Amino acid sequence: MMGIPQCRIRHYLFLLFYLPFIWLSSSSYSLQAESFLECFNSTSYYYSPQSIPISKVVFTSKSSALFSSLLQSSIKNLRFLNTSLQKPLFLVTPFHQSHVQSAIVCANKKGLQIRVRSGGHDYEGISYVSSDQSQFILLDFINFRSIDIDMKTETAIVEAGATLGELYYRIAEKSPIHGFPAGSCPTVGMGGHVGGGGFGTLFRKYGLAADNVIDAKIVDVNGRIMDRNSMGEDLFWAIRGGGGASFGVILSWKLKLVYVPSNVTVFVVQKTLEQGAIHLFQKWQRIAHKLHEDLFLHVTMGVIDEQNKTPNMSSKTILISFVSLFLGRIERLIPLMNSHFPELGLERNNCTEMSWIQSVLFFAGISIETPPKVLLKRPPTSKMLFFKAKSDFVISPIPQIGFEGLWTKMLEEEASYLILTPYGGKMRQISDFDTPFPHRKGNIFGIQYMVTWENANETYRHLSWIREVYDYMEPYVSKHPRAAYLNYRDLDLGRNCGRNTSYEEAKVWGLKYYKSNFDRLVRVKTKVDPLNFFWNEQSIPTSVYHS
Ligand SMILES: Cc1cc2nc3c(=O)[nH]c(=O)nc-3n(C[C@H](O)[C@H](O)[C@H](O)COP(=O)(O)OP(=O)(O)OC[C@H]3O[C@@H](n4cnc5c(N)ncnc54)[C@H](O)[C@@H]3O)c2cc1C
Ligand SMILES: *[C@@H]1O[C@H](CO)[C@@H](O)[C@H](O)[C@H]1NC(C)=O
Ligand SMILES: *[C@@H]1O[C@H](CO)[C@@H](O)[C@H](O)[C@H]1NC(C)=O
Ligand SMILES: *[C@@H]1O[C@H](CO)[C@@H](O)[C@H](O)[C@H]1NC(C)=O
Ligand SMILES: *[C@@H]1O[C@H](CO)[C@@H](O)[C@H](O)[C@H]1NC(C)=O
Ligand SMILES: *[C@@H]1O[C@H](CO)[C@@H](O)[C@H](O)[C@H]1NC(C)=O
Ligand SMILES: *[C@@H]1O[C@H](CO)[C@@H](O)[C@H](O)[C@H]1NC(C)=O
Ligand SMILES: *[C@@H]1O[C@H](CO)[C@@H](O)[C@H](O)[C@H]1NC(C)=O
């Protein structure tokens, strides 16, 4: 926590000293802009198919009306739709890999920074917002999203801008018995998700999205395109859970598809605290990670107004939902549940059999009767909220008193939500060092805390609330380090104050996300991007600063 106030102070000093410089640099805006454009248009890499003029690839805040709508198109959190945030100098939407090469080479040459956005779901918006004073280019993969499924080899080549929903749909279109183990939210982008790990309802059987990558294409700081063979095993290791953005720009992933049965089963059991949820939840903590790997049984907790009570404060309670995907039919599920979790009282008619793609709809909160084509849609941003989330890993069951305090805090907040995801299964069989994602054996479940709100003027209150909850939970969760999930990015854990981040500073949050894999990530970073061109608020530092 010490890193944050320090960081603010440093920024403040920086502003005071360099104010005249910033003024100067903003008045030379058009010069820098022109020079980037000229470079982009004329690098030896640049190749533009006739049908795609440069005006469809590069947008500037000064000259294009499309700029704002493009910039906002994949923002998921109202916190980062703030007009006072620094905007990119250019938005580049590659159609061709040469556009990515040109953008990198020219940004580097002109002293501009770069941000890369695929699905835009980053919890701290760092794929399109920069806290640094330097101008930056935003490379947005909105038009770079082809998916090529090869049923002969049971593989898929997926470009970074494709969404999970698009991938799931394209697989199901080809086969009712194949799937891919990645997250539940269909609009999440492949570029960020796979680079940060990526888990969902299949992960107890098949591991993370990153565990099922067999090749990748990346553009490095010099504009070179590399695949697994040419990048080498160290870099290939780093981008599968270490966050791609520290090392280069991911163009595409080659994925191994996995088997799913043609009938899967879904059930939901909901109980309030008053209806005996506590006792069921205590049992869940002890068994969920030990269940058969075909059985994913996660828990969500939220606040509801309990029915049949007066609409007074005291009528608010916690609703605990046990939500499950079983990779098999009801007749096999019932005996499994009866022998391991009879307390839940699951019966046949509480369960629904469906195809795997329908289960994707179900976990996305879409009716299973909806044609799966809905997964290709990018929903409008009209229902956007402000939100903040944090994560924890749990090593041993949390005593009831721990949760009672947490529920009390949740009842004080209007819109808070927890998701508890059981580990075990395949996740405990994969070594902590296979990929940079180290949260494997020994974890019984992960927690995601989330709070949402609707008015900008409440931001401070809700951020304070979730930070208090996080402090409160400390005694009950993993320690040394208190681990966190990279894809639930949290800048409260610490941040790089500038490009000259020291190893020691970054280690504070680096150990939380990567544990002892952090050092190997630093070595890879130092080798592939020694001058730290690919910098962001939580990028991997180089081990030595080169000025
Ligand atoms: C509503 C919602 C639901 C979610 N559900 C899940 C879930 O079920 N399981 C889960 O594991 N996670 C989940 N997440 C977290 C999600 O996996 C991460 O936010 C992920 O990083 C998003 O990827 P993106 O491409 O959409 O995001 P972006 O914001 O585009 O990118 C995220 C990070 O990756 C970098 N990046 C993006 N594209 C590239 C590229 N082509 N090359 C190099 N770096 C790149 C960005 O610069 C940024 O640092 C969810 C998030 C949200 C908002
Ligand atoms: C890009 O280069 C082409 C050919 O050299 C030129 O005709 C065009 O005007 C340039 N476009 C921009 C935006 O600089
Ligand atoms: C709500 O609670 C207050 C005091 O706790 C009580 O006086 C009031 O009657 C309650 N309202 C209803 C509708 O029950
Ligand atoms: C299962 O369904 C029956 C009948 O609809 C219902 O009474 C029971 O509460 C359900 N059980 C669970 C665990 O939800
Ligand atoms: C179950 O699988 C069969 C055979 O593959 C299929 O025809 C049927 O539609 C599936 N049932 C459901 C509910 O998806
Ligand atoms: C935008 O940021 C400013 C400065 O941090 C803040 O005062 C304002 O409330 C923010 N607006 C929104 C809509 O979040
Ligand atoms: C906060 O904003 C909302 C809507 O923008 C407004 O209704 C409310 O009065 C504001 N509250 C405060 C304390 O300013
Ligand atoms: C970067 O950090 C190193 C070591 O802390 C220091 O020696 C150097 O002066 C710093 N450079 C800049 C530009 O801040």
Side-chain angles (χ1 to χ4, degrees):
M1 297 298 286
M2 286 303 291
I4 305 153
Q6 239 176 8
C7 203
R8 286 214 191 95
I9 290 162
R10 274 172 59 170
H11 268 278
Y12 185 58
L13 287 177
F14 182 82
L15 273 174
L16 284 181
F17 281 117
Y18 290 95
L19 217 49
F21 171 73
I22 287 167
W23 171 244
L24 235 167
S25 80
S26 67
S27 69
S28 64
Y29 166 95
S30 58
L31 204 77
Q32 204 173 13
E34 258 169 45
S35 128
F36 172 82
L37 253 190
E38 202 177 290
C39 173
F40 187 86
N41 197 16
S42 65
T43 57
S44 54
Y45 291 115
Y46 187 67
Y47 160 79
S48 200
Q50 285 292 313
S51 56
I52 307 167
I54 192 166
S55 62
K56 287 198 169 155
V57 182
V58 182
F59 301 85
T60 117
S61 53
K62 293 273 150 87
S63 70
S64 166
L66 266 177
F67 182 87
S68 290
S69 64
L70 262 172
L71 180 60
Q72 292 173 13
S73 63
S74 70
I75 294 180
K76 297 293 165 195
N77 190 339
L78 278 178
R79 281 167 63 209
F80 309 114
L81 202 64
N82 192 326
T83 46
S84 67
L85 294 168
Q86 196 193 173
K87 296 205 172 30
L89 185 62
F90 285 103
L91 224 160
V92 178
T93 63
F95 287 84
H96 187 269
Q97 59 192 28
S98 69
H99 301 160
V100 178
Q101 294 175 288
S102 296
I104 291 176
V105 168
C106 295
N108 203 352
K109 205 187 253 174
K110 304 296 171 190
L112 296 163
Q113 296 197 5
I114 201 159
R115 292 293 158 120
V116 190
R117 182 166 76 175
S118 288
H121 286 62
D122 193 281
Y123 276 10
E124 298 281 9
I126 71 165
S127 49
Y128 53 91
V129 174
S130 173
S131 64
D132 198 77
Q133 302 304 318
S134 323
Q135 302 267 27
F136 70 103
I137 306 292
L138 172 56
L139 207 50
D140 190 314
F141 278 78
I142 187 161
N143 294 315
F144 208 85
R145 53 207 275 197
S146 81
I147 296 174
D148 192 1
I149 311 270
D150 180 10
M151 284 320 301
K152 262 196 258 116
T153 54
E154 301 178 305
T155 57
I157 293 175
V158 184
E159 287 184 340
T163 63
L164 298 182
E166 289 164 356
L167 173 63
Y168 298 155
Y169 177 78
R170 294 299 170 203
I171 296 172
E173 201 181 33
K174 289 262 166 71
S175 160
I177 56 156
H178 286 82
F180 187 72
S184 307
C185 170
T187 53
V188 165
M190 289 297 287
H193 185 70
V194 180
F199 74 87
T201 55
L202 300 180
F203 91 132
R204 296 192 68 249
K205 188 173 177 82
Y206 294 114
L208 304 173
D211 296 330
N212 292 278
V213 173
I214 49 184
D215 207 336
K217 258 206 223 171
I218 184 171
V219 184
D220 79 354
V221 62
N222 299 311
R224 284 179 307 206
I225 295 176
M226 301 185 296
D227 64 4
R228 179 175 186 168
N229 189 37
S230 48
M231 80 177 85
E233 286 303 303
D234 272 345
L235 181 54
F236 184 62
W237 172 84
I239 58 175
R240 287 173 297 145
S246 293
F247 306 97
V249 177
I250 313 286
L251 295 174
S252 62
W253 305 106
K254 184 173 183 185
L255 311 172
K256 185 176 74 197
L257 303 182
V258 302
Y259 289 108
V260 291
S262 55
N263 299 122
V264 303
T265 304
V266 163
F267 70 82
V268 181
V269 175
Q270 295 187 306
K271 295 266 193 271
T272 63
L273 297 185
E274 290 74 14
Q275 292 167 339
I278 297 178
H279 150 76
L280 294 177
F281 177 67
Q282 287 303 351
K283 173 82 188 234
W284 178 89
Q285 287 201 75
R286 285 172 177 78
I287 56 116
H289 63 287
K290 293 183 201 152
L291 291 171
H292 192 283
E293 61 183 23
D294 286 344
L295 182 50
F296 172 84
L297 175 54
H298 82 167
V299 161
T300 65
M301 296 182 181
V303 176
I304 58 151
D305 285 315
E306 204 189 8
Q307 281 151 7
N308 310 322
K309 279 200 180 173
T310 55
N312 260 343
M313 279 301 285
S314 60
S315 68
K316 274 169 69 179
T317 187
I318 301 289
L319 180 71
I320 300 190
S321 307
F322 299 85
V323 187
S324 177
L325 174 70
F326 178 61
L327 296 173
R329 306 194 67 152
I330 297 176
E331 63 198 16
R332 203 175 122 227
L333 170 63
I334 297 290
L336 259 179
M337 287 298 290
N338 282 343
S339 67
H340 294 100
F341 203 175
E343 298 83 349
L344 206 56
L346 191 73
E347 296 165 26
R348 291 188 70 92
N349 62 355
N350 306 126
C351 304
T352 310
E353 282 185 0
M354 59 186 77
S355 62
W356 173 73
I357 199 69
Q358 286 179 304
S359 80
V360 167
L361 296 174
F362 176 83
F363 278 90
I366 301 168
S367 155
I368 63 167
E369 306 306 335
T370 314
K373 228 180 183 139
V374 69
L375 294 169
L376 302 182
K377 275 202 187 151
R378 306 211 168 192
T381 45
S382 55
K383 276 195 261 166
M384 217 192 308
L385 294 169
F386 292 85
F387 77 82
K388 171 73 187 164
K390 289 177 173 293
S391 64
D392 260 320
F393 288 91
V394 177
I395 308 297
S396 55
I398 298 178
Q400 188 168 322
I401 186 157
F403 269 101
E404 280 169 356
L406 179 58
W407 294 328
T408 303
K409 288 191 176 297
M410 288 175 74
L411 289 167
E412 290 163 3
E413 173 58 59
E414 297 94 278
S416 63
Y417 194 65
L418 304 187
I419 304 176
L420 298 89
T421 308
Y423 275 60
K426 178 79 174 176
M427 287 303 285
R428 72 183 297 281
Q429 291 155 20
I430 298 174
S431 147
D432 285 5
F433 313 109
D434 264 23
T435 72
F437 180 99
H439 319 289
R440 309 275 186 173
K441 192 176 174 180
N443 290 288
I444 62 172
F445 58 93
I447 305 181
Q448 176 175 205
Y449 313 87
M450 185 170 282
V451 60
T452 63
W453 63 98
E454 287 172 24
N455 295 316
N457 58 12
E458 294 171 5
T459 297
Y460 180 77
R461 176 161 65 86
H462 297 290
L463 290 180
S464 305
W465 178 84
I466 200 166
R467 287 169 185 154
E468 273 169 33
V469 165
Y470 191 72
D471 288 345
Y472 166 82
M473 289 300 285
E474 187 187 307
Y476 304 114
V477 298
S478 65
K479 297 176 179 62
H480 315 299
R482 180 174 182 180
Y485 175 36
L486 176 64
N487 266 344
Y488 295 157
R489 190 187 307 285
D490 180 4
L491 291 179
D492 292 349
L493 302 177
R495 59 161 82 204
N496 297 330
C497 291
R499 285 175 79 161
N500 191 12
T501 314
S502 79
Y503 167 84
E504 291 302 328
E505 272 175 312
K507 202 173 172 178
V508 175
W509 48 265
L511 289 182
K512 291 175 182 294
Y513 290 138
Y514 312 111
K515 298 192 190 171
S516 59
N517 292 326
F518 181 63
D519 280 355
R520 183 171 174 195
L521 288 169
V522 172
R523 286 199 299 277
V524 178
K525 169 75 178 183
T526 308
K527 200 166 108 197
V528 305
D529 182 24
L531 299 181
N532 204 7
F533 172 66
F534 293 111
W535 178 90
N536 64 50
E537 288 73 9
Q538 276 185 346
S539 58
I540 304 292
T542 55
S543 57
V544 182
Y545 178 72
H546 301 257
S547 50

